[in-house]
C-alpha cells in the first residue's frame, strides 16, 4: 500500500489487480474494513456505464471492443498457473499458483457505499471524448454480426488509435480525474482502491496540483 500525507490530510492507495489469489483479496478486505473504522473514506475505480438503454450499452460495447480488440469484464476462473499463462501472457501472473480468481465486487471488500466515492470516468464518456478528439469509431458488418460473448476476429482499428486510447484515456485521463477529485475533496482521510498501473500517474498529477504531498515511508 502507498501512504501519502499533506498536513492534516492523508491518503492510502491500495493498488488493485484484476486477477489474484483469494488470500490476496482477503488481505485487502481486512485492511479496507480496518481503515474505514479509522475514518478513511473509500474512493474507488469503476468505469461502469452511465447510459439510458441496453441499445446504447451494446453500441458502446462494440466500439470499445473495436478499440481494444476484445471484450472487457470477462468472468473466467483460472484453476492453475498453466491455464493463466496460456491466456494471460504477462509474467506477473505466471507464478501466482492455483485458484486464481477475478477481482471481487467492492461489496466483498466491505466498502461502505453510504460514504464511498466513485472516483472514475464512465466508459461511455471515455469513448465519447475519444471520438470527439480523433473521430468516429466506425463499425463494420463483422463488428455488428459478432456476438459480444464470442471471440473477436474482425478487422482491428489502426494500432495508432488503439495506443492513443490506452495512453490518453484509459490511463492519463482517468489519473488526472482521480488526482483532481482527491485534491479537491473535503475528506481528510481517503482510501483509494484503484488499478496498480495508475499509481505513478496519479501521484504525478496530484503533486502537480500541490507539491506538499509527501510519501510516508
Amino acid at each position: 500500500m502507498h501512504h501519502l500525507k499533506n498536513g492534516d490530510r492523508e491518503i492510502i492507495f491500495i493498488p488493485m489487480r484484476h486477477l489474484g489469489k483469494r488470500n490476496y483479496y482477503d488481505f485487502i478486505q481486512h485492511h479496507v474494513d480496518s481503515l474505514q473504522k479509522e475514518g478513511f473514506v473509500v474512493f474507488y475505480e469503476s468505469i461502469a456505464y452511465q447510459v439510458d438503454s441496453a441499445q446504447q450499452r451494446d453500441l458502446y460495447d462494440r466500439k470499445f471492443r473495436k478499440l481494444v480488440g476484445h471484450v472487457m469484464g470477462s468472468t473466467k476462473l483460472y484453476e492453475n498457473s498453466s491455464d493463466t499463462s496460456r491466456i494471460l501472457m504477462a509474467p506477473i501472473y505466471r507464478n501466482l499458483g492455483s485458484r486464481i480468481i477475478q477481482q471481487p465486487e467492492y461489496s466483498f471488500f466491505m466498502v461502505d457505499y453510504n460514504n464511498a466515492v466513485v472516483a472514475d470516468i464512465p466508459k461511455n464518456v471515455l469513448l465519447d471524448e475519444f471520438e470527439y478528439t480523433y473521430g468516429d469509431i466506425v463499425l463494420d458488418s463483422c463488428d455488428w454480426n459478432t456476438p459480444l460473448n464470442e471471440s473477436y476476429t474482425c478487422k482491428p482499428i489502426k494500432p495508432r488509435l488503439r495506443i492513443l486510447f490506452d495512453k490518453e484515456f484509459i490511463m492519463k485521463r482517468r489519473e488526472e480525474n482521480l488526482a483532481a477529485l482527491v485534491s479537491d475533496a473535503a475528506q481528510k482521510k481517503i482510501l483509494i482502491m484503484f488499478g496498480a498501473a495508475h499509481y505513478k500517474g496519479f501521484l504525478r498529477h496530484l503533486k502537480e496540483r500541490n507539491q506538499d504531498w509527501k510519501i510516508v515511508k
Side-chain angles (χ1 to χ4, degrees), residues 1 14 21-34 108-109:
M1 294 187 291
I14 297 181
K21 288 201 290 187
R22 172 59 189 260
N23 60 1
Y24 162 71
Y25 295 118
D26 287 342
F27 175 83
I28 293 174
Q29 181 194 70
H30 169 74
H31 283 284
V32 171
D33 186 42
S34 297
F108 170 86
F109 299 110

Side-chain angles (χ1 to χ4, degrees), residues 26-180:
D26 287 342
F27 175 83
I28 293 174
Q29 181 194 70
H30 169 74
H31 283 284
V32 171
D33 186 42
S34 297
L35 288 166
Q36 286 183 126
K37 290 176 181 176
E38 294 178 19
F40 280 84
V41 176
V42 173
F43 280 48
Y44 64 94
E45 172 184 16
S46 174
I47 58 172
Y49 286 113
Q50 290 183 2
V51 294
D52 297 325
S53 67
Q55 290 79 8
Q56 280 186 313
R57 181 183 179 119
D58 181 79
L59 174 61
Y60 280 117
D61 269 340
R62 293 176 190 279
K63 287 185 175 184
F64 196 84
R65 181 178 63 177
K66 187 76 171 181
L67 267 177
V68 303
H70 58 87
V71 177
M72 302 298 288
S74 170
T75 57
K76 293 178 181 177
L77 179 68
Y78 304 109
E79 295 294 344
N80 57 61
S81 56
S82 61
D83 288 342
T84 307
S85 298
R86 179 171 55 82
I87 297 171
L88 295 172
M89 300 305 294
I92 192 170
Y93 293 113
R94 289 180 182 171
N95 298 313
L96 287 178
S98 64
R99 204 59 181 173
I100 295 172
I101 64 173
Q102 187 183 31
Q103 177 182 318
E105 298 291 333
Y106 288 107
S107 56
F108 170 86
F109 299 110
M110 320 288 268
V111 169
D112 180 1
Y113 287 110
N114 292 319
N115 296 313
V117 176
V118 181
D120 214 337
I121 302 173
K123 193 189 300 184
N124 52 294
V125 174
L126 292 172
L127 288 167
D128 288 343
E129 291 181 357
F130 176 84
E131 289 190 305
Y132 179 81
T133 305
Y134 294 106
D136 292 344
I137 301 166
V138 179
L139 303 176
D140 58 27
S141 58
C142 181
D143 293 309
W144 287 112
N145 293 328
T146 302
L148 291 168
N149 60 351
E150 291 187 6
S151 298
Y152 184 67
T153 58
C154 302
K155 182 179 179 180
I157 203 165
K158 292 180 180 178
R160 181 183 71 88
L161 293 175
R162 181 174 298 176
I163 292 170
L164 285 171
F165 181 66
D166 181 66
K167 182 178 180 181
E168 295 185 13
F169 296 88
I170 294 297
M171 301 300 291
K172 182 181 178 182
R173 177 73 177 85
R174 295 168 65 210
E175 291 159 3
E176 288 176 334
N177 179 71
L178 177 61

Side-chain angles (χ1 to χ4, degrees), residues 176 179 201-211 213:
E176 288 176 334
F202 159 73
L203 180 60
R204 182 173 65 255
H205 294 302
L206 185 69
K207 287 194 170 187
E208 286 174 357
R209 289 175 165 271
N210 190 329
Q211 284 291 333
W213 283 103

